[in-house]
Amino acid sequence: MIATHRDPLADSAAAWNAFPAPRLMTAVVGRLADGAAWVMDFLAVPHWLITGATQSGKSTLVASLVTALGAQPVAILGIDLKGGMELGLFEKRLSGLATSRAEAIILLRQVIDDLGRRMDICRADGVRSIWELDENDRPVPVIIVVDEVAELYLAADPAGKKEAVECSTLLLRTAQLGAALGVHLVIAAQRFGSDLGPGATALRAQLGGRICHRVTDETTAEMTLGDLFPDAVIVAQAIGEHEKGVAVTTVGGQWTRARSTLVTPDQARQHSAATSDRMALGDWNE
């Protein structure tokens, strides 16, 4: 146990010490309650679920994550059914952006096809993971960021429901196959519950990394943390409206409070432009 004379999460992000640059497939996204760097490690935890109400800090965390990963030689794909208002800030850096359910289906079908190609490469080399391949033969790692997954799962008309089922199936298949093949999911949601359908519960089982900001309903906190750390649910529900950016996250088989680094819209756009040469559109699946 570490005791501090003040709350490290109460400091402004600008006052935080700079942490060392992360290694490939890890992202420093903020600070933990003990003052250490908050690191999301996709090699240790392949898929993540991020929940939080409006203005809780969920979008800030996603922006911090995309900024950190954007400096690395990885492909980042975005699915943002709110017209691209969130992930559109990073469009110049993204290797693909879907802003409708139909576009999301096309993008996810491409991902599934690419997973098959990656399996063929691994099988031909007699390995069980792309990380066992020679670096020159290794496919580009892919991070798929889904902003507000409920928009994919919920539909009012029969055609929309059919698309929603396909999106659910494709996401689940990606989660089941992607870890060893270098394809990773980050699922963000204002709310996440069984009302989204059985596909949501099945997908949650594949998302080992959990982050819960302030939420407006107990179900979302339970779905995010309850199956792994029931005691963390109460802590997450106690996050106040004034604690923007503060969340309860899983780290190293435990849970802790953390706060993400603020990335402003201007900073997001500047980063996107500055790193646009890191991954040209389509390179990830060639």
Side-chain angles (χ1 to χ4, degrees):
M1 180 177 293
I2 298 175
T4 60
H5 71 280
R6 59 181 174 77
D7 181 3
L9 304 184
D11 294 339
S12 67
W16 294 358
N17 293 325
F19 294 111
R23 66 184 186 278
L24 181 65
M25 298 301 292
T26 67
V28 175
V29 295
R31 171 181 274 188
L32 300 178
D34 63 1
W38 180 8
V39 179
M40 293 176 64
D41 186 344
F42 285 85
L43 296 183
V45 184
H47 309 304
W48 290 78
L49 172 62
I50 303 172
T51 59
T54 300
Q55 297 186 340
S56 66
K58 174 172 56 66
S59 296
T60 295
L61 173 58
V62 170
S64 182
L65 174 63
V66 175
T67 298
L69 291 173
Q72 301 182 24
V74 304
I76 305 174
L77 306 178
I79 298 176
D80 181 357
L81 268 60
K82 293 187 295 185
M85 290 191 300
E86 297 290 347
L87 297 180
L89 296 173
F90 296 96
E91 189 165 7
K92 291 182 179 179
R93 173 59 180 84
L94 299 180
S95 297
L97 175 62
T99 59
S100 69
R101 195 181 285 115
E103 290 178 354
I105 290 173
I106 293 172
L107 186 63
L108 290 172
R109 284 175 179 171
Q110 291 175 341
V111 170
I112 295 299
D113 289 343
D114 186 55
L115 285 171
R117 180 182 67 88
R118 291 170 184 241
M119 283 189 284
D120 291 341
I121 293 172
C122 289
R123 184 167 60 248
D125 279 60
V127 299
R128 295 182 296 177
S129 166
I130 68 163
W131 303 107
E132 298 176 38
L133 296 169
D134 182 89
E135 185 176 352
N136 295 325
D137 298 327
R138 185 183 303 151
V140 174
V142 177
I143 309 289
I144 305 170
V145 181
V146 181
D147 188 78
E148 195 44 63
V149 71
E151 297 294 331
L152 284 180
Y153 279 73
L154 297 178
D157 57 88
K161 290 179 179 179
K162 182 178 179 180
E163 288 182 337
V165 170
E166 183 167 4
C167 283
S168 174
T169 302
L170 292 170
L171 277 178
L172 180 59
R173 188 64 172 158
T174 300
Q176 291 172 331
L177 297 176
L181 300 172
V183 178
H184 307 268
L185 288 176
V186 177
I187 305 296
Q190 289 187 29
R191 61 184 182 83
F192 195 82
S194 57
D195 61 313
L196 298 182
T201 303
L203 179 62
R204 182 191 68 160
Q206 301 294 327
L207 307 176
R210 308 289 179 81
I211 301 170
C212 185
H213 296 79
R214 176 180 56 81
V215 293
T216 56
D217 62 295
E218 183 180 355
T219 299
T220 296
E222 286 280 358
M223 283 287 285
T224 308
L225 299 168
D227 60 325
L228 299 180
F229 302 103
D231 53 334
V233 174
I234 299 174
V235 178
Q237 290 180 286
I239 298 173
E241 293 185 3
H242 63 286
E243 297 181 286
K244 293 183 179 180
V246 172
V248 173
T249 182
T250 54
V251 176
Q254 303 178 15
W255 64 266
T256 184
R257 279 167 51 99
R259 184 184 179 192
S260 56
T261 303
L262 176 63
V263 176
T264 67
D266 283 343
Q267 289 173 328
R269 283 186 286 265
Q270 291 169 8
H271 167 82
S272 178
T275 58
S276 60
D277 62 334
R278 297 298 173 97
M279 189 59 56
L281 180 64
D283 283 356
W284 65 276
N285 63 351
E286 291 181 353

